[in-house]
Amino acid sequence: MSHHIVEVRNLRHVYPDGTVALRDVSFRITHGESVAIIGANGAGKSTLLLHLNGFLTPTAGEIRIGDYPLTKATLPEIRRTVGMVFQDPDDQLFMPTVYDDVAFGPLNLGLSGTDVEQRVKDALEKVGAGHLQEKPPYNLSGGEKKRVAIATVLSMSPDILVMDEPTDGLDPHARRQLMALLREFSHTRIFTSHDLDMVLELCSRVIILHEGEVRGDGPPLEIFRNDELLARCRLEKPLSMQGCPVCGGKVS
Amino acid sequence: MASIDGALLDFKRLDRLATGDTAIHRLDPRAKVLATLVFVVTVVSFGKYEVTPLVPFLIFPVAMVALGNLPVAYVIKKIALLCPFALVVGIFNPIFDREVLVQIGSLGITGGWLSFASIVMRSILTVGAAIVLVGVTGFPGVCLALERIGMPRVFAVQLLFLYRYIFVLTDEGSRMERARKLRSLGKKMEPGIFGSLVGHLLLRTWQRAERIHMAMLARGFTGEFHTRRDTRFGGRELLFLLGWSTLFIILRFLNLSQLVGSLVTGISP
């Protein structure tokens, strides 16, 4: 299933004001991988994510999603393949009801009637939000909004899920619920996050971005044990890997 | 700003009403938009001193509210919210136009008061019809209908975006105003600060609008808005449109109020 592959080659992006957001980024993510892209503020994470869906055009370099290079012609297909969940669910939920919002994508894909209904039902069911379908999005809690935002993307049956800070702004319980949900997905998953404990639990691979370059790429435990690398990239170990501040216990 | 927040939330309720599932809701939006259009044009076409012929036109909004199962108190409140504008427009008429046109016993009603009443009546009717239309169709539905009737798609999408961004804009605005208030210790807003606030608001709204647009594109938005109900303009729609239009035109040329009045009192007009 080669269409689940994301390949970025020598990606460079310079904003119109001259800021170099991405210098030279290359990586290849294969089917079913769960990858976290981490880095300090301003490291280029968001810029990178915006490239994966064609919102920004590379200044240099190439992006391939599945078998296609990302070009204007392949954009509609790629946008269906890559489901993007934004950091602020309020940006993503713009229709009068949850149902309409989840149906927005399938309707744009040209589906109709019972097909749309089935997809909306399945997507909401999957995120445990079936009971919310007639509610207007602005009446939902933060955790519910996040789950519905994920459903709006799932209803388009993407192969690759891209999420910007999925656990941002959630209370501990909602965060746990969301993590349990994300763990179940079989899609290729790409997250950006500052929640390194979530990364440790959910991801099989971590890519560190710093000053627009890839500085580290490997299994989470390996990356998080490299103190020198983390310090250089203005990062810290996940809390669960740090010694307990109360009992002083150390994790090896 | 709490009141603006409140009014906004209340406005969103109108959109929510449109998700109802009555016979009126299920009609193709085009039929409702066109019927409302005919209604507004006929109501507006009355002469400036005519009041009584307008009264029977209440049947349209009232019937739609009843059939569409809309909350009556809510609709009346929404109409009342817009009434002050009509009052301001008409308030000078009684002062400038003092010619007595109707004599009831010893009480003379001047043309000014008549035209004032006519303006208020017409605003209630047209505003009421518009609110009811959105309540039984939903704004996206109205836009869709306008596009299908022949309005260029660019305008239809513009309208939709305007509608979405009004909420976004007022949300951002009320948050900024709250932040200013908390740090201004009860001082009034200075013009310079107001300018900066509005400037920031524009830029922020712009940024958010861009993000919303991205989210729409990510889900395959191509400039076409789909609604959940796939309706077509069939026999029921035609009946609805022709039925109401015929009634409006009859009411336009036949003063029903006077007719009923003369039947009751036995005096021919």
Side-chain angles (χ1 to χ4, degrees), chain B residues 13-87:
Chain B
R13 188 174 161 203
L14 190 61
D15 228 16
R16 216 156 67 232
L17 290 175
T19 57
D21 196 27
T22 66
I24 292 288
H25 282 90
R26 279 193 297 270
L27 280 178
D28 186 292
R30 278 171 291 181
K32 290 179 269 187
V33 169
L34 283 174
T36 308
L37 215 63
V38 176
F39 176 81
V40 170
V41 169
T42 21
V43 165
V44 170
S45 73
F46 276 98
K48 73 174 200 175
Y49 293 129
E50 289 176 276
V51 181
T52 49
L54 287 169
V55 176
F57 278 89
L58 278 170
I59 178 104
F60 179 61
V62 167
M64 297 280 274
V65 164
L67 293 173
N69 215 359
L70 302 181
V72 180
Y74 173 76
V75 173
I76 289 175
K77 230 164 67 188
K78 287 288 106 170
I79 297 173
L81 207 69
L82 289 161
C83 263
F85 295 102
L87 291 180

Side-chain angles (χ1 to χ4, degrees), chain A residues 161-234:
Chain A
L161 273 179
V162 177
M163 299 194 195
D164 198 359
E165 300 274 2
T167 54
D168 182 45
L170 297 185
D171 65 53
H173 180 70
R175 172 176 171 271
R176 280 285 155 206
Q177 273 186 324
L178 187 82
M179 282 166 62
L181 175 69
L182 297 181
R183 201 185 322 243
E184 282 171 26
F185 291 154
S186 56
H187 310 76
T188 301
R189 282 151 288 167
I190 303 176
F191 309 110
T192 69
S193 191
H194 292 297
D195 181 356
L196 299 184
D197 289 282
M198 177 208 70
V199 170
L200 193 60
E201 279 191 43
L202 288 187
C203 299
S204 53
R205 181 175 163 193
V206 172
I207 295 174
I208 295 191
L209 274 191
H210 189 59
E211 293 175 344
E213 284 175 357
V214 176
R215 293 288 169 86
D217 184 348
L221 278 176
E222 193 179 295
I223 295 278
F224 291 140
R225 283 196 180 118
N226 190 340
D227 290 319
E228 193 260 337
L229 172 70
L230 291 179
R232 209 161 7 101
C233 299
R234 298 180 33 175

Side-chain angles (χ1 to χ4, degrees), chain B residues 157-176:
Chain B
V157 174
Q158 283 283 332
L159 260 181
L160 272 171
F161 274 51
L162 177 76
Y163 185 64
R164 285 293 153 229
Y165 293 160
I166 278 176
F167 293 138
V168 177
L169 184 85
T170 36
D171 268 1
E172 296 258 355
S174 49
R175 247 179 288 156
M176 282 169 73

Side-chain angles (χ1 to χ4, degrees), chain A:
Chain A
M1 295 239 269
S2 59
H3 51 282
H4 293 200
I5 290 175
V6 177
E7 193 170 10
V8 173
R9 275 189 220 144
N10 305 107
L11 180 65
R12 179 180 172 81
H13 189 85
V14 183
Y15 278 108
D17 66 354
T19 317
V20 184
L22 296 175
R23 265 170 225 288
D24 181 11
V25 173
S26 299
F27 57 78
R28 182 184 158 87
I29 295 171
T30 54
H31 172 61
E33 267 193 293
S34 170
V35 181
I37 295 173
I38 62 172
N41 300 124
K45 301 184 299 283
S46 300
T47 309
L48 177 60
L49 284 199
L50 291 179
H51 276 88
L52 298 182
N53 216 335
F55 294 126
L56 291 177
T57 323
T59 310
E62 192 194 12
I63 297 159
R64 293 180 77 87
I65 308 284
D67 300 321
Y68 308 104
L70 207 162
T71 61
K72 233 188 171 118
T74 58
L75 205 53
E77 177 57 22
I78 280 175
R79 286 192 172 154
R80 195 204 59 74
T81 313
V82 181
M84 176 96 60
V85 180
F86 288 74
Q87 181 174 358
D88 182 355
D90 275 324
D91 290 342
Q92 196 145 8
L93 306 173
F94 44 78
M95 297 294 278
T97 66
V98 166
Y99 185 104
D100 286 320
D101 234 311
V102 180
F104 182 83
L107 285 170
N108 282 332
L109 290 178
L111 300 173
S112 56
T114 47
D115 286 341
V116 174
E117 217 164 283
Q118 194 58 45
R119 285 220 184 184
V120 173
K121 223 179 123 236
D122 290 348
L124 284 173
E125 207 71 26
K126 197 152 202 173
V127 299
H131 58 293
L132 301 173
Q133 66 172 32
E134 290 307 326
K135 279 202 171 183
Y138 56 85
N139 274 357
L140 305 179
S141 74
E144 288 172 336
K145 272 188 197 171
K146 205 86 193 191
R147 280 185 283 148
V148 171
I150 293 172
T152 64
V153 168
L154 287 183
S155 65
M156 300 181 72
S157 46
D159 300 315
I160 300 160
L161 273 179
V162 177
M163 299 194 195
D164 198 359
E165 300 274 2
T167 54
D168 182 45
L170 297 185
D171 65 53
H173 180 70
R175 172 176 171 271
R176 280 285 155 206
Q177 273 186 324
L178 187 82
M179 282 166 62
L181 175 69
L182 297 181
R183 201 185 322 243
E184 282 171 26
F185 291 154
S186 56
H187 310 76
T188 301
R189 282 151 288 167
I190 303 176
F191 309 110
T192 69
S193 191
H194 292 297
D195 181 356
L196 299 184
D197 289 282
M198 177 208 70
V199 170
L200 193 60
E201 279 191 43
L202 288 187
C203 299
S204 53
R205 181 175 163 193
V206 172
I207 295 174
I208 295 191
L209 274 191
H210 189 59
E211 293 175 344
E213 284 175 357
V214 176
R215 293 288 169 86
D217 184 348
L221 278 176
E222 193 179 295
I223 295 278
F224 291 140
R225 283 196 180 118
N226 190 340
D227 290 319
E228 193 260 337
L229 172 70
L230 291 179
R232 209 161 7 101
C233 299
R234 298 180 33 175
L235 294 167
E236 250 182 24
K237 272 183 185 171
L239 292 175
S240 55
M241 285 178 72
Q242 296 180 13
C244 169
V246 180
C247 64
K250 292 266 186 220
V251 178
S252 62

Side-chain angles (χ1 to χ4, degrees), chain B residues 156-223:
Chain B
V157 174
Q158 283 283 332
L159 260 181
L160 272 171
F161 274 51
L162 177 76
Y163 185 64
R164 285 293 153 229
Y165 293 160
I166 278 176
F167 293 138
V168 177
L169 184 85
T170 36
D171 268 1
E172 296 258 355
S174 49
R175 247 179 288 156
M176 282 169 73
E177 161 63 6
R178 202 178 306 145
R180 184 201 67 83
K181 240 186 200 159
L182 284 172
R183 286 185 292 156
S184 59
L185 309 172
K187 269 192 217 140
K188 283 248 165 69
M189 192 164 358
E190 291 161 30
I193 294 178
F194 179 75
S196 156
L197 217 71
V198 170
H200 267 280
L201 189 59
L202 178 69
L203 290 174
R204 275 205 218 177
T205 308
W206 192 325
Q207 280 178 341
R208 182 181 278 266
E210 233 165 40
R211 291 200 301 274
I212 294 177
H213 187 227
M214 278 200 276
M216 295 169 87
L217 288 179
R219 287 193 273 150
F221 182 68
T222 52

